[in-house]
């Protein structure tokens, strides 16, 4: 009897068979275990790996979130991958792209999940992927050579695919979810990765073609933060309450503070208030 695809270890042949991209994933490194796929991709980037190089691992021993937070990355269950994006413009436009890449990566994850599973995840600004109020995945973008013509971005993506509720550590159980939990069936990670790379490539090409407006519009439609009461946790333990109004052309979140003044938030953690 053959093992269903959902339970097979990730392997390069299965991913390559499913892949329909032009460039993303055409250079592919499939590893059983790494500290972090972002770190592995950064090393490859330093060795001049080409645009679109992908690192995917069965397990991470030091998976990272933003601000040095930990990303729970048990073996054989979920998707942990990093994509190296090059071909960024120089000059002023570069900063604009760097703000949008994390947002368009979150959109690509949502769309790929929808195509593969028919679930319809949303985004919590800037780049948390949610099913209902629970976190299904996250994006960690790390850039190098910023301001030069060699700028590169590593887009690290984690999606909880086949992890069961009882396999999450206690502190994550109330706030995290997976495709298995939401759809009550396991999913083939190779097919999900291939769909994700296609959706990411399409949106990166939109950015390259100057179609920022399309990405912004898609983001506003997917974003569960818009219209919500929010608390923004800023640096140094400060916070600000208000209502999230829109996404600005630079990707920042416009918040109407409780005193009626406006704030455009570029970095910070958002809490959706009830
Ligand atoms: C993120 O950070 O959401 C970005 C996560 C990116 C992970 C990928 S995996 C492949 C690549 N290689 C890496 O090393 N990283 C990337 P942040 O917004 O800071 O969220 C981190 C918080 O999410 C933690 O503090 C926990 O509360 C929660 N968390 C940790 N692991 C989780 C999981 N597996 N599912 C849901 N929530 C989790």
């Amino acid at each position: 009897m053959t093992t269903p695809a959902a339970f097979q270890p990730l392997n390069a042949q299965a991913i390559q068979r499913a892949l329909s991209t032009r460039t993303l994933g055409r250079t592919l490194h499939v590893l059983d275990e790494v500290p972090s796929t972002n770190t592995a991709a950064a090393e490859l980037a330093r060795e001049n790996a080409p645009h679109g190089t992908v690192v995917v691992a069965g397990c991470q021993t030091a998976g990272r979130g933003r601000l040095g937070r930990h990303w729970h990355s048990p073996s054989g269950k979920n998707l942990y991958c990093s994509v190296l994006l090059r071909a960024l413009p120089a000059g002023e436009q570069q900063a604009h792209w760097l703000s949008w890449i994390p947002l368009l990566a979150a959109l690509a994850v949502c769309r790929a999940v929808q195509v593969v599973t028919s679930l319809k995840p949303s985004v919590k600004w800037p780049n948390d992927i949610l099913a209902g109020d629970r976190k299904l995945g996250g994006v960690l973008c790390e850039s190098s050579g910023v301001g030069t013509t060699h700028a590169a971005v590593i887009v690290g993506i984690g999606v909880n695919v086949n992890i069961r509720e009882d396999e999450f550590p206690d502190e994550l159980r109330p706030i995290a979810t997976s495709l298995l939990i939401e759809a009550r069936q396991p999913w083939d990670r190779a097919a999900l990765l291939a769909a994700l790379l296609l959706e990411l490539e399409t949106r990166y090409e939109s950015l390259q073609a100057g179609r920022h407006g399309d990405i912004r519009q898609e983001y506003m439609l997917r974003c569960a933060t818009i219209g919500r009461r929010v608390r923004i946790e800023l640096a140094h333990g400060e916070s600000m309450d208000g209502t999230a109004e829109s996404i600005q052309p630079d990707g920042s979140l416009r918040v109407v503070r409780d005193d009626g003044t406006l704030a455009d938030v570029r970095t910070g953690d958002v809490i959706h208030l009830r």
Side-chain angles (χ1 to χ4, degrees):
M1 215 174 82
T2 55
T3 316
F7 298 109
Q8 277 173 10
L10 273 173
N11 72 84
Q13 286 83 355
I15 297 167
Q16 272 151 355
R17 262 199 313 275
L19 210 55
S20 58
T21 53
R22 257 192 281 265
T23 50
L24 301 197
R26 293 295 166 188
T27 302
L28 179 66
H29 300 261
V30 184
L31 308 166
D32 286 340
E33 181 182 300
V34 279
S36 153
T37 56
N38 266 34
T39 309
E43 277 161 23
L44 292 165
R46 280 194 292 276
E47 293 158 10
N48 290 324
H51 170 72
T53 296
V54 168
V55 178
V56 58
C59 152
Q60 298 185 117
T61 53
R64 296 198 299 273
R66 295 173 302 146
L67 306 169
R69 291 186 283 234
H70 174 68
W71 188 255
H72 182 60
S73 312
S75 174
K77 297 271 168 180
N78 302 326
L79 191 59
Y80 319 111
C81 68
S82 297
V83 185
L84 171 61
L85 298 179
R86 295 194 186 275
L88 276 86
E92 242 175 62
Q93 245 197 323
Q94 192 180 96
H96 190 73
W97 282 40
L98 290 173
S99 322
W100 272 103
I101 287 171
L103 308 194
L104 67 83
L107 281 181
V109 176
C110 287
R111 183 68 201 156
V113 165
Q114 189 171 346
V115 168
V116 171
T117 68
S118 298
L119 294 169
K120 202 164 180 285
S122 60
V123 181
K124 178 160 79 84
W125 186 90
N127 48 16
D128 277 357
I129 295 100
L130 302 183
D133 280 335
R134 291 180 187 227
K135 189 154 165 169
L136 188 59
V139 176
L140 172 68
C141 288
E142 295 176 308
S143 42
S144 60
V146 173
T148 73
T149 51
H150 312 293
V153 182
I154 288 155
V155 181
I157 295 169
V159 184
N160 299 324
V161 182
N162 293 327
I163 181 170
R164 295 191 314 263
E165 192 156 2
D166 62 297
E167 292 172 313
F168 280 115
D170 288 350
E171 69 278 12
L172 291 181
R173 209 164 296 137
I175 58 167
T177 190
S178 71
L179 298 181
L180 172 83
I181 296 167
E182 296 298 319
R184 295 161 196 268
Q185 69 173 86
W187 298 93
D188 175 11
R189 288 170 298 158
L192 181 65
L193 175 61
L196 167 55
L197 294 176
L198 182 63
E199 299 298 336
L200 185 59
E201 182 169 277
T202 308
R203 284 161 186 76
Y204 197 60
E205 285 173 0
S206 287
L207 199 61
Q208 287 173 317
R211 293 197 298 271
H212 306 125
D214 293 357
I215 299 170
R216 182 171 164 223
Q217 200 173 12
E218 186 190 0
Y219 192 90
M220 298 257 270
L221 289 172
R222 273 281 174 196
C223 184
T225 308
I226 308 292
R228 293 280 297 251
R229 291 241 341 121
V230 289
R231 175 161 302 142
I232 314 286
E233 297 192 325
L234 306 158
H236 314 300
E238 289 164 36
S239 70
M240 167 179 100
D241 285 6
T243 303
E245 188 194 69
S246 62
I247 303 298
Q248 293 301 97
D250 65 356
S252 59
L253 180 70
R254 172 154 290 185
V255 175
V256 184
R257 287 196 196 92
D258 288 347
D259 66 4
T261 56
L262 299 178
D264 288 342
V265 181
R266 285 187 179 74
T267 52
D269 277 320
V270 173
I271 297 170
H272 288 168
L273 301 173
R274 303 255 160 218

